[in-house]
Amino acid sequence: MTVSTSSTRRAGTGGPAQVPAPQQARRLGWGQRMSRFDLKVSPYLYISPFFILFGIFGLAPLLYTAYVAVHQWHPIGGKGEFVGLDNFTAILQQDQFWNAVGNTFSIFLISTVPQLIVAVFIAAVLDSNLRAGTFWRMGVLLPYVVAPVAVALIFSNLFSEQFGLFNSLLGMIGIDPVPWSSDVIPSHIAIATMVNFRWTGYNTLILLAAMQAVPRDLYEAATIDGAGRVRQFFAITVPMLKATITFVVITSTIGGLQIFDEARMYGGGSGSGRGGPDGEWKTITLYLWEVGWNSTNFGRAAAIAWLLFLLILLVGVVNFLLTRRISSQGGDR
């Protein structure tokens, strides 16, 4: 539609209105267009390597395992008949699977809970003004670099029922030898000790890094108000570590439910490699390995892997919700 300037009037004056001339779009030069493109696309390019690697080494194997789990899968012939959810149903009806689930949760709880508590307190000690602080911080990480197989062999000898160091020490104070390899709970404690030995220092350094980010003004103000070190720890340090503690809890959950090396190498007797003579310390991953490589039933092994994935996902979500709820309650106080 054409607008006639003669028909328009200036409001209040009766004169013709000034129609603004249409502005021509400013053309951007090549350098400006590239600058806009860089601002929009660069962040995605920077984070793309992680997602590409995750897609290749994480997501693709996960989807392929799901494909294997709904088929009969032969070690030599490969894919067989489509069986749907039969592999999952068969696994869920196995007593050995539920025994492995119980053992995994037992070892996970015995190892993770005290590990996090000890890690928080060691980090608090390292955060104080210790002499040769770098030496002590490196020292707590040394167990983490020791090979899991070496740790398992050493602790298997320490927990040996006949000639082990721990039973010898118990015998010196009049306590009967503990069946570390033939009873359920003692074997879980022995394996949890190995896990704690390796991972406590690693979690300590993560928590220590978070503690060093806490503003020192808060401690100075608390000191002026008369708060002691213990009160400062629980009133300032622990609340400021909520996000880091949540992260450590989630990562410990993922790692704790996938424990394999320690359970595989522990024992040294007839139950070594099988999780005990009667499956006393057989974990889910050990059962997966047994079904996949001893029974060569890759379809059911893939089904166990997916059940373990769903279990970790469920426990991780529950842990996240619990820790977030506790954190929010602490913030309201």
Side-chain angles (χ1 to χ4, degrees):
M1 183 177 65
T2 303
V3 178
S4 174
T5 55
S6 60
S7 61
T8 57
R9 301 290 180 184
R10 188 187 301 273
T13 61
Q18 296 293 329
V19 178
Q23 294 183 352
Q24 293 184 350
R26 190 165 61 92
R27 299 187 61 180
L28 299 177
W30 170 257
Q32 291 174 315
R33 286 201 297 270
M34 289 302 297
S35 178
R36 283 191 175 184
F37 179 80
D38 180 52
L39 289 175
K40 291 182 179 179
V41 178
S42 291
Y44 299 101
L45 292 178
Y46 294 148
I47 62 174
S48 61
F50 166 77
F51 288 99
I52 292 173
L53 292 176
F54 172 75
I56 296 174
F57 298 105
L59 186 60
L62 188 67
L63 297 177
Y64 185 70
T65 304
Y67 181 71
V68 174
V70 294
H71 290 84
Q72 287 184 346
W73 208 275
H74 308 286
I76 299 177
K79 188 182 73 172
E81 183 182 353
F82 176 77
V83 296
L85 299 178
D86 289 354
N87 285 328
F88 292 90
T89 306
I91 289 299
L92 292 175
Q93 293 175 347
Q94 295 287 328
D95 292 337
Q96 291 188 59
F97 173 73
W98 294 111
N99 176 58
V101 172
N103 291 340
T104 303
F105 270 96
S106 175
I107 296 172
F108 163 68
L109 291 175
I110 295 174
S111 61
T112 302
V113 176
Q115 178 188 134
L116 293 179
I117 295 174
V118 172
V120 169
F121 281 95
I122 294 177
V125 173
L126 292 177
D127 192 38
S128 60
N129 294 323
L130 286 178
R131 288 187 177 181
T134 304
F135 170 79
W136 296 113
R137 290 165 190 165
M138 292 176 59
V140 298
L141 194 62
L142 282 179
Y144 177 71
V145 301
V146 179
V149 174
V151 174
L153 292 175
I154 293 171
F155 277 83
S156 294
N157 287 318
L158 293 177
F159 284 104
S160 175
E161 294 186 8
Q162 293 183 343
F163 307 106
L165 175 65
F166 292 110
N167 273 348
S168 298
L169 294 176
L170 293 175
M172 293 174 63
I173 56 177
I175 298 178
D176 294 335
V178 177
W180 298 108
S181 302
S182 57
D183 204 354
V184 176
I185 297 301
S187 63
H188 293 183
I189 293 174
I191 295 174
T193 304
M194 299 182 213
V195 177
N196 292 334
F197 173 76
R198 288 197 65 233
W199 288 97
T200 300
Y202 177 83
N203 289 327
T204 296
L205 290 188
I206 295 177
L207 294 166
L208 176 62
M211 284 183 186
Q212 292 182 334
V214 177
R216 298 297 162 179
D217 297 346
L218 299 177
Y219 295 108
E220 293 174 2
T223 303
I224 294 173
D225 291 340
R229 299 295 297 270
V230 176
R231 180 65 184 276
Q232 293 179 18
F233 176 76
F234 286 104
I236 298 175
T237 305
V238 173
M240 296 294 286
L241 296 180
K242 287 175 182 174
T244 307
I245 291 176
T246 302
F247 170 78
V248 172
V249 167
I250 298 298
T251 54
S252 298
T253 301
I254 296 172
L257 293 178
Q258 297 183 75
I259 181 172
F260 177 78
D261 296 329
E262 291 84 355
R264 176 80 171 85
M265 298 302 299
Y266 178 68
S270 59
S272 178
R274 299 185 292 107
D278 296 319
E280 286 86 353
W281 66 86
K282 181 179 292 182
T283 60
I284 300 177
T285 51
L286 200 54
Y287 181 55
L288 185 157
W289 176 82
E290 188 176 282
V291 172
W293 297 103
N294 284 355
S295 304
T296 62
N297 193 333
F298 289 171
R300 291 190 179 182
I304 296 172
W306 254 90
L307 290 172
L308 176 60
F309 169 71
L310 295 176
L311 191 63
I312 292 172
L313 195 63
L314 176 65
V315 176
V317 170
V318 171
N319 275 345
F320 173 74
L321 294 176
L322 284 176
T323 49
R324 192 176 66 170
R325 183 179 178 83
I326 293 171
S327 300
S328 61
Q329 288 177 347
D332 294 338
R333 279 198 293 268

